[in-house]
Amino acid sequence: MLPGVGVFGTGSTARVLVPLLKAEGFEVHALWGRSEEEACCLAKELGIPFHTSRSDDVLLHQDVDLVCIYIPPSMTRQIAVKALGIGKNVVCEKAATAVDSFKMVTAARYYPQLLSMMGNTLRFLPAFVAMRQLLVEGYVGEMQVCDVRVYGPSLLDQSYGWTCEELMGGGGLHTVGSTLIDLLSYLTGARAHRVHGLLRTFVQQNGLIRGIRRVTSDDFCFFQMLMGGTGSSSSGVCCTVTLNFNMPGSFVHEVMVVGSTGRLVARGTELYGQRNGSKGEELLLGDSGWVGPEVKEMPLPHLCGLSSMVKALRQSFQAHEERRSWARGPVATATTFEDGLYVQTVVEAVKRSSCSGEWECVEIMSQEPDPNHNLCEALQRNKN
């Protein structure tokens, strides 16, 4: 028996997600928007019976047992933690900070019987599922280098909002880079222990964002990660990621893993491979084709991955008669809240590196920082 769904958000992801959920047999009972007008407009368009701008109205809705959260990162933690506390299963986007991510991890650990997963759809894309399996089987031999390139148009909204603000979770590194950091961990089975990065904001104003307002979120990012190994630069996997969102009208999404005996390359939704000594690449998995409507704001890999993720959710909940119960198997490879904390820690380390120009260590917090730490230090200094 599938759970009833409540969706938070009225952006492009929500517009795609709701029809996908309905196609798999889920009933979407409630929609939350930042304003009544936004929520009402999209609810009518998508045929959702209840809409609101009050978060508790969705969380306390008697027919909602699964909450999908696709809202600005600065708001994610509050809704996700409250939803778990009420007893709802949660699928959500990334939080704004590592501290917010840690609070989400704490809530998820407190309610282990509930589903709590991050909505990184790339893990469900068939090309990356196949790539991971081939890596495990040794297609490339010992993994040495990962190289990722994502180029595309601006990520900014039409008006000034959270996408323009680095502190609110905007920018290429946080929005797209975080999904790639998680993907590389999924593919390699390792985590980054040191990072080095460079962030730039080339477009600080445009025709719609001008005057006293300036964009602070990055539109170009390049970073390196040393993954796995024992901490020395000569061991583990070397990863490089380049993100450039100053290329209107084009989209490039390429992930390459090079090893001692060959390489695998995912271009868009297709997977290619070449073993050392062979004459050329072979197509290992073709484009299965996207049958839904084209969504300009969502690249095809994320679109197809979202569709596969919703299918996995159906399989997970379908295995049980009780609406809130779920089976781990179909979503076993999904991004956990713990993975989300790791990713956010790497993002913040890359930002520190961009400021310092130095390699930075990735140290995942094990307890929540004291919010009064600086005040306590100042009082201690005064006392001395």
Side-chain angles (χ1 to χ4, degrees):
M1 190 172 182
L2 297 178
V5 182
V7 175
F8 282 81
T10 56
S12 57
T13 303
R15 288 176 181 275
V16 177
L17 177 64
V18 170
L20 290 174
L21 287 166
K22 289 184 173 182
E24 291 298 322
F26 289 93
E27 288 189 34
V28 181
H29 293 284
L31 176 75
W32 175 92
R34 282 179 292 181
S35 69
E36 283 287 344
E37 186 181 0
E38 273 186 14
C40 178
C41 183
L42 189 60
K44 282 183 179 179
E45 181 184 327
L46 299 177
I48 300 172
F50 177 78
H51 66 271
T52 182
S53 60
R54 292 164 46 89
S55 60
D56 285 357
D57 290 347
V58 175
L59 296 176
L60 297 174
H61 196 292
Q62 62 179 5
D63 295 322
V64 170
D65 296 299
L66 170 64
V67 176
C68 298
I69 306 169
Y70 291 88
I71 55 180
S74 59
M75 303 166 64
T76 298
R77 183 265 307 164
Q78 178 186 355
I79 304 297
V81 169
K82 184 180 280 190
L84 289 169
I86 293 172
K88 310 291 186 180
N89 296 295
V90 174
V91 177
C92 71
E93 273 293 337
K94 60 197 80 65
T97 66
V99 173
D100 279 358
S101 296
F102 185 83
K103 291 177 180 178
M104 289 165 60
V105 168
T106 302
R109 288 173 180 167
Y110 200 76
Y111 304 102
Q113 76 279 12
L114 295 172
L115 173 73
S116 55
M117 61 179 260
M118 309 297 293
N120 184 4
T121 60
L122 292 181
R123 285 198 183 205
F124 292 91
L125 185 69
F128 291 124
V129 174
M131 179 185 269
R132 183 171 186 260
Q133 184 60 37
L134 288 168
L135 290 170
V136 170
E137 293 171 359
Y139 184 96
V140 304
E142 183 183 355
M143 283 182 277
Q144 298 169 338
V145 175
C146 297
D147 185 62
V148 182
R149 298 183 304 128
V150 178
Y151 305 153
S154 174
L155 299 174
L156 300 177
D157 288 335
Q158 292 298 307
S159 58
Y160 190 84
W162 71 269
T163 57
C164 304
E165 284 284 348
E166 181 259 334
L167 292 175
M168 297 284 282
L173 173 61
H174 196 281
T175 307
V176 178
S178 58
T179 64
L180 298 171
I181 292 165
D182 177 65
L183 177 66
L184 290 172
S185 179
Y186 166 73
L187 293 174
T188 63
R191 285 186 168 184
H193 53 85
R194 293 181 71 211
V195 299
H196 188 273
L198 174 70
L199 282 73
R200 287 287 182 269
T201 305
F202 288 109
V203 179
Q204 297 184 6
Q205 291 186 318
N206 58 28
L208 298 169
I209 301 165
R210 54 186 186 270
I212 61 170
R213 287 179 166 168
R214 288 185 178 273
V215 177
T216 61
S217 56
D218 60 283
D219 52 27
F220 173 83
C221 177
F222 170 81
F223 62 95
Q224 300 162 292
M225 300 187 293
L226 298 179
M227 303 183 72
T230 57
S232 67
S233 58
S234 59
S235 61
V237 184
C238 302
C239 300
T240 63
V241 179
T242 306
L243 310 172
N244 187 353
F245 298 102
N246 295 292
M247 297 177 63
S250 65
F251 180 75
V252 174
H253 194 285
E254 183 175 292
V255 178
M256 178 166 60
V257 181
V258 181
S260 56
T261 62
R263 69 173 185 266
L264 290 166
V265 188
R267 296 190 185 98
T269 58
E270 297 180 331
L271 179 63
Y272 298 84
Q274 183 172 355
R275 297 182 191 273
N276 293 353
S278 63
K279 292 183 178 180
E281 288 183 344
E282 58 176 329
L283 178 64
L284 301 174
L285 184 69
D287 185 357
S288 56
W290 170 249
V291 294
E294 186 178 341
V295 183
K296 189 171 61 175
E297 297 88 356
M298 186 178 291
L300 191 58
H302 292 273
L303 205 54
C304 294
L306 183 62
S307 176
S308 296
M309 185 186 79
V310 172
K311 287 182 170 66
L313 283 171
R314 174 183 53 77
Q315 293 165 3
S316 176
F317 283 105
Q318 216 170 31
H320 289 267
E321 289 186 11
E322 213 280 314
R323 288 191 312 175
R324 293 189 184 184
S325 299
W326 55 285
R328 191 169 300 277
V331 292
T333 59
T335 307
T336 64
F337 279 17
E338 285 86 355
D339 294 326
L341 173 59
Y342 155 73
V343 167
Q344 191 58 42
T345 304
V346 174
V347 166
E348 293 184 5
V350 171
K351 289 180 179 180
R352 290 198 309 272
S353 174
S354 183
C355 293
S356 69
E358 305 288 339
W359 283 88
E360 296 283 345
C361 292
V362 177
E363 298 176 350
I364 301 172
M365 66 176 67
S366 55
Q367 61 183 31
E368 189 176 340
D370 182 357
N372 297 316
H373 177 71
N374 293 335
L375 178 60
C376 292
E377 278 192 345
L379 290 173
Q380 189 65 38
R381 283 196 300 270
N382 290 337
K383 188 183 292 186
N384 295 335

